[in-house]
Every structure is written in structure tokens, then in C-alpha cells.
């Protein structure tokens, strides 16, 4: 049995890891694996902080994973680190001071947002650099939030998505300083979402400075490409941090400082991404598959939690009985919708549809992140959405039924287009 703070690793996965090759911080599996073995092994490596790289043909780590993998093989346990589960890496004082310096001079009374405050390193640096600033710190971890000086700072204990959803004054901060979580299970590039959220809370004329992974400079998937386009559109700057900037935190993660100023005449339309034609890149496809696997695994675990199911039933009861989420979707898809909506700060109305369906109704989810669900069809009903938990009587038809992940948008994510309502 695994100890607190760790997960049990099967003998099969331990054997696979024992036979893997490790070179240049990259773990490569030598033998050909079944789907189940691959999924189980990939989960362990992902929990350790590894990221699959098609180019490297293996799982790449920021630091040498040899010792960590050896401990897993010997003990049969894998750790649950804050970096893995929450994406948390503390900001060293030297890096915090450098980041705050990039803000430039701030007037007394300026409102500064730290949307992923951790133990308050950036908050302390902001107060040290300029007296009289009004700092707001958002931190989901209760223990870390208690380390922040509440006498000098407005401390919000909760997730950035929740804060964004309930704030009534958008674009009301004069500056943003942040070291966002780079990746968490199911969201390998959550930092991009956090930068976008923080930008939406910055007033025109303000500046955002963020610590972001070095992958921002070269990753080719859609989210990274669009963020680089956005950064270039506003003539943002990048400053490379030393390789050992986070060595004291036990990681040699490569990172850069991203700075960008919001124009005085900024409008929301300025942030709309340039449409990119063509098929998804292999990296985009693999990233989407990995995210979908994580989502389905999390949903499966939630369906075994009676307390969660009771809460789910209560939330569903507040929605209109005829909405698609209640009337059509399976329990697994209901879990998927609420989990993703909570992570994104989306208010769930229960009325969900595809992009084309909303457009036909005179609405469009411009710039919104879709909610992934499991859809299915059989050969006789190619366009029918099916319940994804077939009964025992339907088990024999499993071979003729196909399931895949697809995207839906909630009504709250859409806005009217010309002539719509």
C-alpha cells in the first residue's frame, strides 16, 4: 500500500521502467507496450514531471529523472509532489526581484495582482520595491496563502479561475506579476490559460510580467503559437533566465520572463487570434490525446466517489430539466463538463452545443475554450449522441459502437453575432 503523498506502482510498470533507457533527461521505453501498459507507465512518468516529446521519441524531464525512477522501481511507490499535482514551484528571491524590476516604477496606490501567489515571494518583492502599492494575491493552497502577510496584502484563497469568474471589475489592475503553474494533470499548458486570465484583469496602459516555460519560444501547438502571435502583436519582450534559476527549488526548469504592455486604446477585439489553416501538428494531436486521457481518468475516479456524486446531483438539480446536460448527457459527461467548467471559470447553464449549432442559432463562442465530452455512434445512427455507459444488455453491441472525445460549448461561453439574440 502506498504511503500518504504517494501512489502505488504496479509490478508491471516497475519492470517497464527498469528496462527503460535514460539519456539526456529523456526516458525511452525500449519494449513495445500494450495500450494499458503504455497508459499506466505514461501516468507515472507524467506524475514525475515528464512531458512526452515526439521529436525526442521519449518522455523529457527538466532534470535527470534517474534517481526518482530508481526509487519507484525499488519501493513500488511514486511521489505526489506539489509541482506535479498543483504545478507549484516557489519563486526564488533573486528571480522575484528581477521580475518586479521589469514592472518599472509604480505610483503609490497602484493596484498590483499576483494571480498565483504561492508563499508570497512576488508579493514581498513588490512591497520591497515600491511602498504604498495595493497588492492582491490569489492562491488556492490554504497553507501557502496563510504565509502571505494579510496586513499588507488582500489575500484571496481560491483558484484564479474562480476569482476571474466572480470579479465585477474587469481590467482594474495597474500591473500583474506572476509565476503561474506550468502544468497540472490534464492541463499540460495551464500557464497559458493563467496568462490569458491575468491579461483580462489588466487595465489598458498596464503591464504584465510573467515567468513562463522556455517552451513558449519554440513549441508548435496551437496554444503556444497563438500566444506568441499575441505577444508579438503588442511588441512584448522576453528575458532568458539562468539555467539554474530554480535549482534551489530542486528543479532546473528552463524559464523566461515575459513582459507585455496593454495599449491605452486596447479593445477585446485586439486579442482575437489570427486564424491558422491546416491540419493539427503531430505535437498538437498527441497533446490533445494526453489531455483527453487525463480527463477520462479523472471522470472515472469521480464516478466512484459517492460524495462527489451527491454534489453533482445537487448541481444538476439547479439546472433546467430540459437542458442537454440533464436530459441527454451521461453521468461521465456530466462530470467532464462540470470539472472543466470549474477549471476554466465557466458558469454552467446546461445548454451545450457544437460551434456550428451555436452559429446556426446566431451565437458564437469566440475565443472560448471548449468543453470536451465523450460522444459515440453506431453504424446505424452515425450522427446520434449516445450514453457512454452501455447497459449489460447492450454490451454485445460494443464492437459496433465507436466513442471519441469531442468539443461542446455552454451557452454562457457564447455571444450574439450580428442579427443574433
Amino acid at each position: 500500500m502506498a504511503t500518504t503523498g504517494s501512489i502505488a506502482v504496479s509490478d508491471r510498470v516497475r519492470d517497464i521502467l527498469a528496462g527503460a533507457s535514460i539519456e539526456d533527461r529523456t526516458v525511452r521505453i525500449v519494449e513495445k507496450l500494450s495500450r494499458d501498459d503504455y497508459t499506466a507507465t505514461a501516468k507515472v512518468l507524467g506524475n514525475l514531471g515528464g512531458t512526452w516529446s515526439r521529436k525526442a521519441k521519449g518522455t523529457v524531464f527538466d532534470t535527470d529523472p534517474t534517481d526518482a525512477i530508481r526509487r519507484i522501481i525499488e519501493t513500488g511507490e511514486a511521489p505526489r509532489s506539489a509541482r506535479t499535482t498543483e504545478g507549484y514551484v516557489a519563486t526564488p528571491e533573486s528571480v522575484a526581484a528581477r521580475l518586479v524590476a521589469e514592472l518599472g516604477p509604480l505610483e503609490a496606490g497602484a493596484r498590483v495582482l499576483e494571480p498565483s501567489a504561492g508563499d508570497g515571494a512576488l508579493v514581498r518583492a513588490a512591497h520591497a520595491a515600491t511602498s504604498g502599492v495595493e497588492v492582491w494575491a490569489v492562491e488556492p493552497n490554504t497553507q501557502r496563502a496563510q504565509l502571505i502577510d494579510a496586513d499588507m496584502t488582500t489575500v484571496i484563497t481560491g483558484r484564479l479561475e474562480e476569482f476571474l469568474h466572480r470579479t465585477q471589475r474587469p481590467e482594474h489592475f495597474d500591473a500583474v506579476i506572476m509565476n503561474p503553474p506550468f502544468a497540472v494533470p490534464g492541463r499540460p499548458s495551464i500557464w497559458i490559460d493563467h496568462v490569458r486570465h491575468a491579461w483580462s484583469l489588466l487595465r489598458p496602459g498596464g503591464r504584465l510580467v510573467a515567468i513562463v516555460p522556455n517552451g513558449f519560444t519554440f513549441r508548435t501547438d496551437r496554444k503556444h503559437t497563438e500566444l506568441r502571435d499575441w505577444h508579438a502583436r503588442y511588441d512584448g519582450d522576453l528575458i532568458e533566465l539562468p539555467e539554474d534559476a530554480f535549482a534551489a527549488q530542486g528543479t532546473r526548469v528552463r524559464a523566461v520572463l515575459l513582459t507585455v504592455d496593454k495599449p491605452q486604446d486596447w479593445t477585446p477585439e485586439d486579442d482575437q487570434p489570427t486564424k491558422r489553416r491546416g491540419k493539427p501538428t503531430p505535437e498538437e494531436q498527441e497533446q490533445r490525446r494526453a489531455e483527453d486521457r487525463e480527463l477520462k481518468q479523472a471522470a472515472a475516479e469521480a464516478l466512484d466517489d459517492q460524495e462527489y456524486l451527491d454534489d453533482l446531483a445537487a448541481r444538476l438539480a439547479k439546472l433546467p430539466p430540459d437542458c442537454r446536460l440533464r436530459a441527454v448527457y451521461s453521468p461521465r459527461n456530466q462530470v467532464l463538463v462540470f470539472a472543466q467548467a470549474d477549471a476554466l471559470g465557466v458558469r454552467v447553464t446546461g445548454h451545450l452545443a457544437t460551434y456550428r449549432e451555436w452559429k446556426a442559432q446566431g451565437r458564437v463562442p469566440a475565443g472560448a475554450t471548449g468543453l470536451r465530452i465523450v460522444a459515440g455512434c453506431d453504424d446505424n445512427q452515425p450522427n446520434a449522441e449516445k450514453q457512454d455507459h452501455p447497459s449489460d444488455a447492450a454490451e454485445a453491441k460494443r464492437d459496433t459502437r465507436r466513442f471519441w472525445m469531442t468539443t461542446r460549448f455552454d451557452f454562457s461561453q457564447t455571444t450574439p453575432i450580428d442579427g443574433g439574440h
Side-chain angles (χ1 to χ4, degrees):
M1 179 179 296
T3 58
T4 301
S6 65
I7 58 173
V9 178
S10 70
D11 291 341
R12 174 57 179 150
V13 172
R14 293 163 72 184
D15 289 341
I16 293 170
L17 293 176
S21 68
I22 305 176
E23 184 179 1
D24 295 330
R25 305 194 308 276
T26 301
V27 177
R28 298 182 177 88
I29 306 301
V30 178
E31 63 178 298
K32 186 175 179 62
L33 303 181
S34 67
R35 179 178 293 275
D36 288 344
D37 288 343
Y38 172 83
T39 300
T41 306
K43 181 178 181 180
V44 171
L45 294 175
N47 284 347
L48 284 179
T51 303
W52 169 258
S53 168
R54 181 182 180 89
K55 181 178 181 180
K57 297 181 179 179
T59 303
V60 179
F61 291 79
D62 296 321
T63 58
D64 187 353
T66 303
D67 290 341
I69 291 176
R70 185 181 67 250
R71 285 192 294 270
I72 292 174
I73 296 170
E74 293 174 350
T75 66
E77 297 182 6
R80 297 181 189 271
S81 66
R83 182 184 174 199
T84 297
T85 58
E86 305 173 54
Y88 173 68
V89 176
T91 308
E93 289 187 8
S94 60
V95 176
R98 177 70 183 277
L99 185 150
V100 170
E102 290 301 322
L103 279 180
L106 291 173
E107 297 181 358
R111 296 165 62 89
V112 179
L113 173 66
E114 215 293 34
S116 45
D119 62 4
L122 291 177
V123 173
R124 293 188 294 273
H127 284 304
T130 306
S131 61
V133 293
E134 181 183 343
V135 181
W136 287 49
V138 181
E139 171 54 40
N141 184 285
T142 303
Q143 293 180 328
R144 287 197 289 270
Q146 292 174 347
L147 299 174
I148 302 172
D149 188 349
D151 292 334
M152 300 179 62
T153 307
T154 300
V155 181
I156 308 296
T157 303
R159 294 181 297 110
L160 172 60
E161 293 87 353
E162 296 168 346
F163 176 71
L164 178 69
H165 180 64
R166 67 172 180 259
T167 186
Q168 299 299 312
R169 295 179 59 193
E171 307 152 31
H172 65 324
F173 288 98
D174 300 291
V176 173
I177 50 177
M178 61 192 302
N179 176 14
F182 286 3
V184 297
R187 301 178 69 186
S189 54
I190 187 175
W191 70 270
I192 294 179
D193 298 327
H194 277 218
V195 168
R196 296 282 196 187
H197 293 333
W199 176 257
S200 72
L201 293 168
L202 184 69
R203 69 164 179 80
R207 169 170 286 195
L208 179 149
V209 186
I211 300 171
V212 304
N214 190 50
F216 167 74
T217 64
F218 60 83
R219 293 283 297 274
T220 59
D221 57 274
R222 177 181 57 81
K223 293 184 73 171
H224 285 79
T225 300
E226 288 184 354
L227 195 72
R228 282 198 299 274
D229 291 344
W230 164 83
H231 186 247
R233 188 179 310 145
Y234 297 113
D235 295 322
D237 195 14
L238 283 178
I239 301 170
E240 188 172 357
L241 293 173
E243 289 188 23
D244 60 351
F246 290 89
Q249 278 62 44
T251 176
R252 295 186 68 85
V253 60
R254 298 293 302 277
V256 296
L257 286 185
L258 176 152
T259 68
V260 60
D261 297 321
K262 202 168 202 176
Q264 290 284 1
D265 59 352
W266 175 90
T267 65
E269 288 72 23
D270 295 335
D271 284 343
Q272 293 302 313
T274 302
K275 290 186 177 181
R276 185 167 60 89
R277 299 182 180 276
K279 295 181 179 180
T281 66
E283 183 181 9
E284 289 175 329
Q285 294 173 338
E286 178 56 34
Q287 179 173 318
R288 173 52 64 87
R289 285 192 290 266
E291 292 173 351
D292 286 345
R293 287 194 295 268
E294 290 280 2
L295 286 171
K296 288 191 286 186
Q297 178 61 33
E301 294 173 358
L303 290 171
D304 289 332
D305 185 337
Q306 188 56 50
E307 183 177 350
Y308 182 92
L309 292 178
D310 292 342
D311 179 67
L312 176 66
R315 298 181 72 175
L316 287 169
K318 297 178 181 179
L319 301 179
D322 61 343
C323 72
R324 183 172 287 186
L325 187 59
R326 285 187 65 178
V328 177
Y329 282 16
S330 69
R332 177 164 65 173
N333 279 335
Q334 291 167 348
V335 170
L336 286 170
V337 168
F338 275 117
Q340 294 170 90
D342 289 346
L344 295 169
V346 172
R347 179 175 62 86
V348 176
T349 69
H351 298 289
L352 293 107
T354 65
Y355 184 96
R356 289 183 179 180
E357 288 171 335
W358 282 126
K359 190 173 183 180
Q361 297 180 46
R363 304 186 69 86
V364 62
T369 300
L371 307 176
R372 300 287 283 174
I373 66 166
V374 179
C377 71
D378 59 36
D379 293 337
N380 296 321
Q381 296 174 292
N383 297 315
E385 186 172 284
K386 298 291 185 179
Q387 297 291 319
D388 56 276
H389 286 290
S391 64
D392 292 340
E395 196 72 26
K397 296 183 179 180
R398 195 180 282 272
D399 289 342
T400 63
R401 184 169 292 172
R402 295 174 288 119
F403 298 95
W404 63 92
M405 295 289 282
T406 187
T407 301
R408 297 292 186 270
F409 297 91
D410 190 272
F411 174 84
S412 65
Q413 296 179 281
T414 67
T415 55
I417 55 179
D418 292 343
H421 59 279

